[in-house]
């Protein structure tokens, strides 16, 4: 029947056996006849395993861009107000556009690099 799980339950089979089978062949979401059928599939071991596989696939992709940007993105931030001269902000926006990043990210990188350089000099 379309939309039904490929896993069949039989006496003597535990949930671990079913989960192992689900891990082997969950590649796409089946077509569902109604919302109840869809809800049951997502709640099943097969649906949960599909979500785990999708999540793992997203984290397995290599991070694009600068390692510094990736590092700064993972670090907790504190919001501050910083006044900059208008020409400096315009220059930052132009450079950031050329690099394909946001101007605030560029400014964060420049501050980080400057602080690292200053810390090494002392």
């Amino acid at each position: 029947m379309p939309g039904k799980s490929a896993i069949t339950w039989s006496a003597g089979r535990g949930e671990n056996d079913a989960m192992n089978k689900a891990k082997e062949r969950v590649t796409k979401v089946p077509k569902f006849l109604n919302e109840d059928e869809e809800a049951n599939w997502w709640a099943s071991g097969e649906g949960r395993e599909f979500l785990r596989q999708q999540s793992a696939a997203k984290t397995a992709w290599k991070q694009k861009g600068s390692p510094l940007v990736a590092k700064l993105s993972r670090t907790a931030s504190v919001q501050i107000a910083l006044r900059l001269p208008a020409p400096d902000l315009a220059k930052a926006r132009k450079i950031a556009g050329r690099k394909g990043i946001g101007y605030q990210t560029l400014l964060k990188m420049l501050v980080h690099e400057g602080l690292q350089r200053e810390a090494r000099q002392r």
Side-chain angles (χ1 to χ4, degrees):
M1 184 185 226
K4 288 292 182 185
S5 170
I7 297 174
T8 55
W9 292 87
S10 62
R13 260 204 185 156
E15 186 173 330
N16 287 339
D17 290 339
M19 288 298 291
N20 289 337
K21 280 198 169 249
K23 286 179 185 179
E24 292 172 6
R25 59 180 141 164
V26 179
T27 57
K28 63 181 183 176
V29 178
K31 300 286 183 201
F32 303 104
L33 298 176
N34 57 46
E35 287 183 3
D36 287 338
E37 190 176 282
E38 182 178 2
N40 289 335
W41 187 83
W42 286 109
S44 74
E46 190 176 9
R48 290 190 307 272
E49 184 56 32
F50 175 81
L51 290 175
R52 275 190 221 100
Q53 287 175 356
Q54 295 301 309
S55 178
K58 287 179 184 174
T59 57
W61 289 342
K62 189 173 185 224
Q63 179 77 29
K64 292 182 181 177
S66 164
L68 179 58
V69 172
K71 180 181 175 187
L72 291 173
S73 296
R74 288 190 305 265
T75 308
S77 299
V78 177
Q79 184 176 351
I80 63 167
L82 181 65
R83 297 183 68 79
L84 296 174
D88 288 349
L89 183 58
K91 192 178 295 184
R93 286 184 169 161
K94 184 176 180 180
I95 294 168
R98 193 172 60 230
K99 291 180 175 268
I101 60 175
Y103 78 93
Q104 292 178 344
T105 302
L106 174 69
L107 292 173
K108 192 184 329 182
M109 289 171 51
L110 294 172
V111 168
H112 181 76
E113 290 169 355
L115 291 171
Q116 295 289 52
R117 187 172 45 249
E118 286 295 317
R120 282 190 296 256
Q121 290 178 0
R122 309 241 163 189

